[in-house]
Structure formats: C-alpha cells, structure tokens
Amino acid sequence: MFYVYILQCNDDSYYVGFTNNLDTRLKQHNAGHYPNAHTVNRRPVKLVWHSFFNDAEQALQVEKQLKGWSRKKKEALINEQWELLPKLAKKHFGR
C-alpha cells in the first residue's frame, strides 16, 4: 500500500508527499527526522488529506500532479469540493 498525502504546516503552507507508511512518515515530519525537508522549520504539521494506492508508480504520478496544483485547488481537494476542481484547473491554465 502506498499513500499520497497533504500536510498543513504551522506556517499554513501545504506539503505534498508520498510514503508506504503514513503513520511513521507523519511522526518523522513532526520529529524533524529529515533536516533538509520543507517541513522541518514548519512544525508541527497535521495531516489534512490522503489517498492510498496499490501501485507505487500511480501514487508517484498523483504526488507529482498535486505538487503542481495551486493552493486553492489543493484546498478544494482537502475540503472535498469536487465541483470546484475543473473550474480551478481552467483558471490555473488561463482558460
């Protein structure tokens, strides 16, 4: 099982990541386990969204896609506002 997740950082920024162990990875983020990570100086972080995949490649593709999304589009996903996603995608690409 593989997970793509979004964390909300203490400075209100979002971090998108990928892991095969969500609980452990969240603990690592909050412990500052990786000193060069985006989250290390933005702790504590909280998990605000996640999805699981059986295929690692598919999860990595979704992670990459979400990293390219605007803040508003990530928030629509987090808040399950599915109807906003197409509109935000068009706005993001200047349509």
Side-chain angles (χ1 to χ4, degrees):
M1 187 86 50
F2 303 93
Y3 298 88
V4 177
Y5 60 91
I6 301 176
L7 302 177
Q8 186 173 21
C9 300
N10 192 33
D11 68 354
D12 207 33
S13 65
Y14 291 116
Y15 174 82
V16 176
F18 162 86
T19 187
N20 65 349
N21 188 323
L22 192 56
D23 291 332
T24 297
R25 189 67 181 111
L26 183 58
K27 289 175 186 171
Q28 289 171 336
H29 278 291
N30 275 315
H33 187 75
Y34 298 102
N36 294 325
H38 171 85
T39 57
V40 74
N41 294 319
R42 295 170 173 89
R43 296 177 284 155
V45 299
K46 71 176 181 178
L47 181 68
V48 292
W49 178 88
H50 71 281
S51 188
F52 63 91
F53 302 84
N54 291 319
D55 180 64
E57 287 301 315
Q58 183 183 19
L60 285 169
Q61 288 175 354
V62 170
E63 177 199 27
K64 184 177 178 180
Q65 180 182 23
L66 294 182
K67 284 185 175 192
W69 283 13
S70 69
R71 178 180 180 86
K72 287 187 179 206
K73 193 167 179 183
K74 287 174 189 168
E75 288 175 342
L77 177 67
I78 292 163
N79 295 317
E80 299 181 356
Q81 295 173 313
W82 316 120
E83 70 283 358
L84 295 180
L85 294 176
K87 180 176 126 183
L88 292 168
K90 289 178 183 176
K91 185 175 182 181
H92 182 70
F93 289 108
R95 294 183 200 152

